[in-house]
Amino acid sequence: MRILTNAAPNRGEVFALQARADDASFKDDDLRATLAPDELERAARFHFDRDRRMYMLARGLSRIILGHFLSIAPSAVCFEFLPHGKPVISASQNPYKLEFNYAHSNGLVLFAFSREARVGVDVESAAREVGDRDEIAARYFASGEVERYRALPDHQKPRAFLNCWTRKEAYIKAIGDGLSMPLSKFEAAFELDQPARLLTIHGNK
C-alpha cells in the first residue's frame, strides 16, 4: 500500500489527501493490520459494513501516512486525545510536531497533515439536500453570516450553506474544542465566488 514518497511537511505546508471507500487498492486486511487493539474492537462494533470500512480507512490511512512521516510502523503510532476527543500524536513520537485531521462523508475520506500548525477538515457531498437549512443557519450561524446567507439568490443557498457549515466545522476541529466553541462566535466566507477563509473570530477580524 505505497501512497507517499515525500517527507514530512515543511513548516507552513499542508499535505492533503483524499481516498474513497470503494477503492479496491486499500485492502481491509492491510488496514486492519495497522490498527491498535482498541481500534479493532471499535471497528468490530459497527453494525454496517460500510461504516466499518470508513472507520478502518480513516484511521488506517492516518496511521500509514503518519508512520511514513515519522519513520515508524503504522501500528506503532500512538495517539493521545485532547479533552474534546481530537486525536493527536504522542509527543514522545512526534519530533516534527505534526498535526493531522480527517473527515468522511458519502464514501469519501479527506485527510490533512501539517507541521507546527493546527489543521482541521470537514467534507460533505455537494448534492446533499438539507431541507431545514434556513432554520439551521438562523440558529447556529453568526449574525453576519445569517444576513449574508439570506441575501443570496435562492439557487445559491444550498451550496453556500454547505460551504459555511463545512468551513466552520473544519475550524472547530482544528482548534480541538468541538462544539464547546459556539458556531456563532466566528464567521467564515461562504459565498460561491469567495475562497475558504475565516472573516472574524469572537468579533475580531
Side-chain angles (χ1 to χ4, degrees), residues 104-124:
H104 53 81
S105 178
N106 199 35
L108 177 72
V109 189
L110 176 65
F111 303 85
F113 302 85
S114 65
R115 184 175 178 181
E116 297 185 16
R118 294 181 179 184
V119 64
V121 293
D122 193 46
V123 61
E124 288 285 356

Side-chain angles (χ1 to χ4, degrees), residues 13 17 38 53 89 98 101 111 114 175 183 191 197 203:
E13 291 182 340
L17 172 76
D38 62 312
R53 168 72 172 175
I89 309 163
L98 292 172
N101 198 234
F111 303 85
S114 65
I175 63 176
L183 295 177
E191 290 82 357
R197 61 191 178 100

Side-chain angles (χ1 to χ4, degrees), residues 67-195:
H68 174 86
F69 288 153
L70 298 169
S71 298
I72 59 178
S75 59
V77 177
C78 292
F79 295 128
E80 299 173 354
F81 296 88
L82 300 181
H84 295 284
K86 182 180 181 179
V88 296
I89 309 163
S90 175
S92 63
Q93 290 185 324
N94 196 10
Y96 301 120
K97 298 182 179 179
L98 292 172
E99 296 271 350
F100 76 101
N101 198 234
Y102 61 78
H104 53 81
S105 178
N106 199 35
L108 177 72
V109 189
L110 176 65
F111 303 85
F113 302 85
S114 65
R115 184 175 178 181
E116 297 185 16
R118 294 181 179 184
V119 64
V121 293
D122 193 46
V123 61
E124 288 285 356
S125 169
R128 180 185 174 189
E129 292 289 342
V130 183
D132 53 351
R133 62 176 182 271
D134 291 353
E135 291 79 6
I136 294 173
R139 181 174 181 181
Y140 292 107
F141 289 3
S143 57
E145 291 171 332
V146 175
E147 292 178 8
R148 288 159 39 221
Y149 172 77
R150 288 175 173 169
L152 291 173
D154 286 346
H155 71 277
Q156 293 186 9
K157 286 182 177 179
R159 182 63 178 269
F161 174 87
L162 292 176
N163 282 352
C164 190
W165 188 264
T166 53
R167 291 166 190 179
K168 292 170 85 69
E169 284 280 341
Y171 174 69
I172 62 174
K173 290 179 68 179
I175 63 176
D177 283 352
L179 289 176
S180 66
M181 169 69 160
L183 295 177
S184 61
K185 294 298 184 181
F186 59 98
E187 291 189 40
F190 57 78
E191 290 82 357
L192 274 59
D193 60 347
Q194 294 293 314

Side-chain angles (χ1 to χ4, degrees), residues 24-40:
S25 64
F26 301 124
K27 306 295 185 183
D28 281 357
D29 287 345
D30 292 335
L31 295 170
R32 195 176 286 111
T34 72
L35 302 183
D38 62 312
E39 293 169 330
L40 290 170

